[in-house]
């Protein structure tokens, strides 16, 4: 399996994400934001956390217009798998690959701590390694993680089973306690918590590892 991890100026979780993919058996290729082509034969693209372009304008807005994001969007529209974490989730929203917006946290503070998540849909390539309604602990670290959308969009996400994760104790004010959102075909996932920081017991827990191994198993079996 082949994965690409995109790095933008200000990314700070790109190496962590690459290590998570490698731990799950992927051959990882590092891609720079100015690149205009993706490596051949990719199975998944990872958009990492951080503060791309200093979070100027809107978080993820400048990165979403980087040359490589045209290729990321085309890859997703062809049915490719794309995982966006934290700032990567913000980029996915800005490209239009997922609906909604990420606003300033309701308490106006940066939050950095482990949080409890409930797996709302375990029928996706990323969540099939968890039992139905499983509860896991994953770290968060963000200032603009308050997921918002109009009532019709929230209802559609719920009705279509596109809410991947919900916060058990909402840390940022997100509508419907939403922590992660899937595309209609379940191949694009955006989430604010950092599963790549929860793959090693020595670093505090392994609840995130099942996301990466489940993706491997899905792709091998495809």
């Amino acid at each position: 399996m082949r994965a690409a991890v995109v790095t933008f100026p200000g990314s700070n979780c790109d190496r962590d994400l690459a290590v998570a993919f490698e731990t799950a058996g992927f051959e990882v290729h590092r891609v720079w934001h100015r690149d205009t082509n993706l490596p051949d034969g990719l199975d998944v693209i990872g958009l990492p956390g951080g503060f791309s372009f200093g979070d100027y304008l809107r978080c993820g807005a400048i990165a979403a217009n980087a040359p490589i994001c045209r290729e990321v969007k085309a890859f997703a529209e062809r049915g490719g798998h794309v995982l966006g974490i934290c700032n990567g989730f913000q980029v996915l929203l800005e490209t239009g690959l997922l609906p909604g917006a990420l606003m300033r946290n309701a308490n106006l503070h940066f939050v950095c701590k482990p949080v409890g998540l409930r797996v709302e849909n375990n029928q996706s390539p990323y969540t099939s390694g968890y039992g139905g309604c499983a509860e896991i602990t994953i770290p968060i670290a963000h200032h603009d993680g308050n997921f918002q959308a109009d009532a019709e969009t929230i209802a559609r996400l719920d009705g279509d089973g596109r809410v991947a994760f919900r916060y058990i104790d909402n840390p940022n004010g997100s509508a419907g306690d939403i922590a992660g959102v899937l595309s209609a075909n379940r191949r694009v996932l955006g989430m604010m918590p950092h599963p790549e920081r929860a793959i090693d017991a020595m670093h505090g827990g392994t609840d995130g590892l099942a996301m990466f191994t489940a993706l491997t198993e899905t792709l091998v079996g495809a």
Side-chain angles (χ1 to χ4, degrees):
M1 299 291 99
R2 292 166 59 102
V5 174
V6 179
T7 299
F8 303 96
S11 295
N12 64 14
C13 298
D14 45 338
R15 183 182 180 279
D16 295 14
L17 185 53
V19 169
F21 278 127
E22 288 169 349
T23 301
F26 284 88
E27 174 188 318
V28 177
H29 299 262
R30 304 297 295 273
V31 178
W32 183 234
H33 72 111
R34 288 184 176 175
D35 291 347
T36 55
N37 293 291
L38 292 165
D40 293 334
L42 287 181
D43 295 289
V44 60
I45 298 172
L47 302 179
F51 306 91
S52 59
F53 295 93
D55 277 351
Y56 293 113
L57 190 58
R58 294 184 308 276
C59 298
I62 299 175
N65 287 281
I68 197 60
C69 279
R70 290 192 291 269
E71 298 303 311
V72 172
K73 188 172 183 180
F75 177 82
E77 290 172 345
R78 292 194 301 269
H81 294 77
V82 181
L83 171 62
I85 299 169
C86 199
N87 189 232
F89 187 10
Q90 294 162 343
V91 173
L92 288 175
L93 297 180
E94 290 288 344
T95 62
L97 287 171
L98 293 173
L102 286 159
M103 313 294 290
R104 188 66 46 88
N105 295 342
N107 63 10
L108 303 183
H109 293 292
F110 185 88
V111 291
C112 182
K113 62 182 181 179
V115 298
L117 302 180
R118 185 170 60 251
V119 180
E120 290 292 296
N121 180 348
N122 70 341
Q123 302 299 309
S124 82
Y126 307 94
T127 58
S128 60
Y130 301 109
C133 297
E135 294 186 358
I136 60 178
T137 300
I138 303 289
I140 58 171
H142 58 251
H143 197 273
D144 296 76
N146 180 358
F147 180 81
Q148 295 295 322
D150 60 79
E152 180 181 349
T153 298
I154 296 293
R156 185 171 68 252
L157 292 173
D158 276 324
D160 292 346
R162 292 174 56 188
V163 177
F165 303 100
R166 292 188 198 274
Y167 298 109
I168 294 172
D169 184 11
N170 193 329
N172 53 33
S174 290
D177 302 326
I178 293 172
V181 173
L182 292 158
S183 61
N185 67 1
R186 310 294 194 269
R187 294 189 175 192
V188 179
L189 170 64
M191 60 186 297
M192 286 309 296
H194 287 268
E196 81 284 8
R197 295 183 180 178
I199 64 166
D200 188 333
M202 293 292 288
H203 294 165
T206 60
D207 282 358
L209 183 58
M211 278 190 52
F212 298 94
T213 55
L215 183 58
T216 303
E217 291 168 3
T218 296
L219 293 169
V220 168

